[in-house]
Amino acid sequence: MPRLDFWYEFASTYSYLTIHRVETLAQAAGVELRWRPFLLGPIFTAQGWMNSPFNIFPAKGRYMWRDLERNCAARGHPFTRPAGFPQNSVKAARLALAVGDAARPDFSREVFLAEFARGQVISDESVLAGILRDLDLPADLLEQAQSDPIRERLREETETARKLGLFGAPSFVTEDGELFWGDDRLEQALDWARRP
């Protein structure tokens, strides 16, 4: 079965759009999906950006928020603009790695919903603990997520993303290394992934 790596950042608005449809479309296409959380902050910093480009360029930011509102309304997704943007996603990303491959999709969707549907702060451990509880996942995963091996794994994943040329999220990378960026490129990425 062909495989597609779905790279996402919990602070990414357009990744929020993707999480609602990526699994359904991948299953319909017969493509195995790997959920790969990473951090955009270090990648932006390496490019000389100390903030999200949506904050650095106000016109781009205004457009993004309106575009997100339109897309969420059209697709029937709840949307609440978070109080701060971008949110600190380090704890959530570490926890997404700690929960393991099987639980990662459900956990990740719930983090995005907490942030962009309910307006919660995803760096708040009580929010993350609530998600673990709602998914019947062990509470001690919060502690495991702070361990040196998980911290190192997130650093490694982020470095892998940088080496692959990722500069934004969501991004999709096929087994042959083809990179597609943005929610609007998901279908194209899936088509490429299943090419002979």
Side-chain angles (χ1 to χ4, degrees):
M1 177 182 286
R3 189 183 71 222
L4 184 68
D5 283 353
F6 166 38
W7 292 89
Y8 58 100
E9 168 38 285
F10 283 116
S12 162
T13 52
Y14 287 104
S15 292
Y16 173 62
L17 288 178
T18 301
I19 57 104
H20 293 284
R21 65 197 200 107
V22 65
E23 277 197 316
T24 302
L25 291 181
Q27 288 171 0
V31 174
E32 177 192 352
L33 193 66
R34 288 201 307 182
W35 291 63
R36 301 189 69 174
F38 74 112
L39 299 177
L40 273 172
I43 290 174
F44 287 167
T45 300
Q47 297 178 62
W49 296 345
M50 297 300 119
N51 204 331
S52 165
F54 293 125
N55 289 338
I56 294 171
F57 306 105
K60 188 173 187 171
R62 285 191 298 274
Y63 174 84
M64 178 273 293
W65 289 116
R66 184 62 190 131
D67 189 48
L68 193 65
E69 289 170 348
R70 284 193 305 255
N71 274 286
C72 286
R75 299 180 190 184
H77 304 321
F79 174 69
T80 299
R81 184 170 171 173
F85 177 81
Q87 286 202 27
N88 184 325
S89 59
V90 174
K91 288 180 184 176
R94 288 176 182 157
L95 194 50
L97 293 174
V99 300
D101 295 344
R104 190 169 301 127
D106 287 341
F107 173 80
S108 298
R109 272 190 295 272
E110 289 304 314
V111 172
F112 277 110
L113 287 166
E115 181 179 11
F116 292 110
R118 298 189 291 275
Q120 295 176 306
V121 176
I122 60 169
S123 60
D124 184 334
E125 287 197 6
S126 67
V127 170
L128 297 173
I131 292 170
L132 292 177
R133 187 172 54 252
D134 291 346
L135 294 174
D136 292 322
L137 293 169
D140 66 358
L141 284 168
L142 269 173
E143 187 178 334
Q144 291 179 36
Q146 302 309 315
S147 68
D148 288 341
I150 293 293
R151 288 170 180 261
E152 181 57 27
R153 184 166 172 210
L154 181 56
R155 280 191 291 269
E156 289 171 357
E157 284 291 273
T158 300
E159 179 59 14
T160 298
R162 186 194 65 76
K163 287 179 179 175
L164 288 169
L166 272 63
F167 53 86
S171 290
F172 313 97
V173 180
T174 59
E175 289 180 275
D176 64 354
E178 198 74 18
L179 169 63
F180 298 85
W181 168 58
D183 175 68
D184 58 346
R185 292 294 181 266
L186 172 55
E187 289 86 349
Q188 189 178 3
L190 289 166
D191 285 344
W192 191 281
R194 61 185 182 179
R195 284 167 48 143

